[in-house]
Amino acid sequence: MTYDSNNIFAKILRGEIPNKTVYEDEQVLAFHDISAAAPVHVLVIPKGEYVSFDDFLGKASAETVHGFFERVRKVAHIVEAQEGGYRLITNHGRNASQSVPHFHVHILGGRALGGLLPGDALVR
Ligand code: 5GP
């Protein structure tokens, strides 16, 4: 998997595009999604160059993976999503409609989110 350093999130990490930051440290950046699908919709991205979840788990150390997901939880608490509940989504590739090729986890909450997939979730 080749990382495209011109993707939008790479530009955000370089400060070329503004973002509404929720949390940042040396490992991750968390910011509000520009097109929120729920009252809480935050994206958490590693600062390292990984195309997707699949790429991240394939390349990053266990310590880095663990640290990343600890931070996802920390961000969910910062936006106070843990009490009402939240959903994590990460899209890998075409079938999942991944639109930005830099690994990211969506944190969604702030309202009842309904079923797992929109519409009829039956496998056809
Ligand atoms: P994906 O479909 O790849 O899982 O999710 C990409 C997400 O990035 C989408 O929810 C989209 O709204 C968000 N997004 C795309 N461009 C920007 C941007 O420039 N700024 C922010 N904050 N979010 C963006």
Side-chain angles (χ1 to χ4, degrees), residues 44-108:
V44 188
I45 68 175
K47 292 193 171 177
E49 297 185 345
Y50 305 101
V51 175
S52 69
F53 171 81
D54 199 82
D55 192 37
F56 184 57
L57 269 285
K59 289 180 181 158
S61 68
E63 186 186 358
T64 300
V65 171
H66 184 85
F68 178 79
F69 283 99
E70 276 189 333
R71 287 162 169 90
V72 171
R73 177 174 183 266
K74 181 179 182 125
V75 172
H77 283 238
I78 289 171
V79 296
E80 298 181 343
Q82 85 282 1
E83 194 171 323
Y86 60 88
R87 180 174 292 164
L88 303 182
I89 295 177
T90 186
N91 293 312
H92 163 73
R94 202 173 51 248
N95 283 348
S97 303
Q98 182 181 2
S99 61
V100 180
H102 181 111
F103 171 48
H104 51 281
V105 168
H106 300 251
I107 302 174
L108 292 154

Side-chain angles (χ1 to χ4, degrees), residues 8 16 27 31 42-43 56 58 61 76 89-90 97:
I8 293 164
E16 294 165 14
Q27 296 284 333
F31 53 98
V42 176
L43 302 169
F56 184 57
S61 68
I89 295 177
T90 186
S97 303

